[in-house]
Amino acid sequence: DARVTQTPRHKVTEMGQEVTMRCQPILGHNTVFWYRQTMMQGLELLAYFRNRAPLDDSGMPKDRFSAEMPDATLATLKIQPSEPRDSAVYFCASGRDRGGEQYFGPGTRLTVT
Amino acid sequence: SQKIEQNSEALNIQEGKTATLTCNYTNYSPAYLQWYRQDPGRGPVFLLLIRENEKEKRKERLKVTFDTTLKQSLFHITASQPADSATYLCALGNLDGSGNTGKLIFGQGTTLQVKP
């Protein structure tokens, strides 16, 4: 049963520290998405990739967030420096560009103190 | 700006009844609409996709309608069970110039509670 995996599942860090979240998309999927979910804002798209190329990162605070796909099996989301307002659950999802549906990972719960 | 509205109040129904959830949107013309289920502490799980030229789609006990004139989708769960209790998210998407699907815009979700 193919699944999207994310690490770490939980992360507690202090303000100003760098945070790196990792995602392994489902093998064969060529689109990868990063979302952030909070009670207030719901599920917001931060960035997405097709065939490892970034297509849209307009939802991401550029000064502190960065997203990359070093290879087809790994996507990363970095926050540097982290701030308390970054506390949220971060989801990675993958899919196919003709399929439409997205398959979500279990999420990384980030707490910045 | 694009806006998706789902009932923020939880929907409480009795087991065996049909649950109907609503998704309304404005300032958007989506090519397709999707419904996801999310359980506490987990990522959303894809349920159904319906395209703009489709009026209705069914999958087992689930039925989705899509009215592009009203800018509304209805999501029905028939013969509901306590195991159907979860938050249900509506999401809209479009195609790029090459016909590829891409990013989704999600609603806030509606929580369904099915009581035995």
Side-chain angles (χ1 to χ4, degrees):
Chain A
D1 189 22
R3 295 185 184 190
V4 174
T5 59
Q6 289 186 246
T7 57
R9 292 293 313 277
H10 301 273
K11 176 73 175 179
V12 180
T13 190
E14 291 183 349
M15 182 172 62
Q17 296 299 304
E18 177 177 303
V19 175
T20 298
M21 290 170 267
R22 293 177 174 81
C23 166
Q24 182 171 13
I26 293 172
L27 191 64
H29 283 185
N30 66 331
T31 55
V32 173
F33 305 83
W34 281 106
Y35 292 91
R36 175 171 62 185
Q37 188 172 42
T38 61
M39 287 294 292
M40 289 297 295
Q41 300 297 328
L43 201 58
E44 303 174 282
L45 179 70
L46 297 175
Y48 94 96
F49 297 78
R50 177 178 294 134
N51 298 323
R52 295 176 55 202
L55 285 192
D56 188 340
D57 61 1
S58 58
M60 208 162 61
K62 302 288 191 306
D63 56 340
R64 299 185 299 109
F65 284 59
S66 62
E68 295 180 344
M69 279 202 73
D71 61 60
T73 64
L74 177 65
T76 63
L77 180 66
K78 289 186 181 179
I79 309 174
Q80 167 64 9
S82 57
E83 297 180 1
R85 58 179 168 154
D86 301 328
S87 297
V89 181
Y90 290 81
F91 288 105
C92 174
S94 71
R96 295 187 183 90
D97 57 17
R98 292 294 174 131
E101 62 266 32
Q102 296 180 13
Y103 296 83
F104 283 75
T108 294
R109 182 173 293 277
L110 174 65
T111 303
V112 183
T113 60
Chain B
S1 62
Q2 301 157 351
K3 192 174 180 182
I4 302 175
E5 288 184 353
Q6 293 187 255
N7 197 336
S8 58
E9 290 184 13
L11 179 63
N12 295 296
I13 65 167
Q14 207 66 35
E15 182 176 9
K17 300 292 187 184
T18 296
T20 299
L21 285 68
T22 304
C23 174
N24 295 298
Y25 59 93
T26 55
N27 298 324
Y28 200 54
S29 296
Y32 56 94
L33 184 149
Q34 302 182 18
W35 284 88
Y36 288 77
R37 169 184 174 141
Q38 187 172 22
D39 291 282
R42 294 180 175 268
V45 175
F46 170 77
L47 296 175
L48 281 168
L49 179 153
I50 186 166
R51 302 185 191 281
E52 61 179 334
N53 60 350
E54 298 173 315
K55 295 293 185 187
E56 180 180 299
K57 197 162 236 184
R58 293 173 186 260
K59 179 182 176 183
E60 297 172 354
R61 294 186 296 111
L62 308 180
K63 185 178 87 171
V64 172
T65 63
F66 192 10
D67 188 326
T68 55
T69 302
L70 288 178
K71 294 187 180 293
Q72 181 182 78
S73 174
L74 298 178
F75 177 76
H76 307 272
I77 305 175
T78 58
S80 59
Q81 305 165 359
D84 296 326
S85 300
T87 296
Y88 291 86
L89 302 166
C90 164
L92 307 180
N94 250 318
L95 304 175
D96 66 13
S98 301
N100 296 315
T101 53
K103 65 181 183 180
L104 295 173
I105 303 171
F106 280 84
Q108 292 270 50
T110 297
T111 298
L112 172 67
Q113 187 72 35
V114 181
K115 298 187 187 304

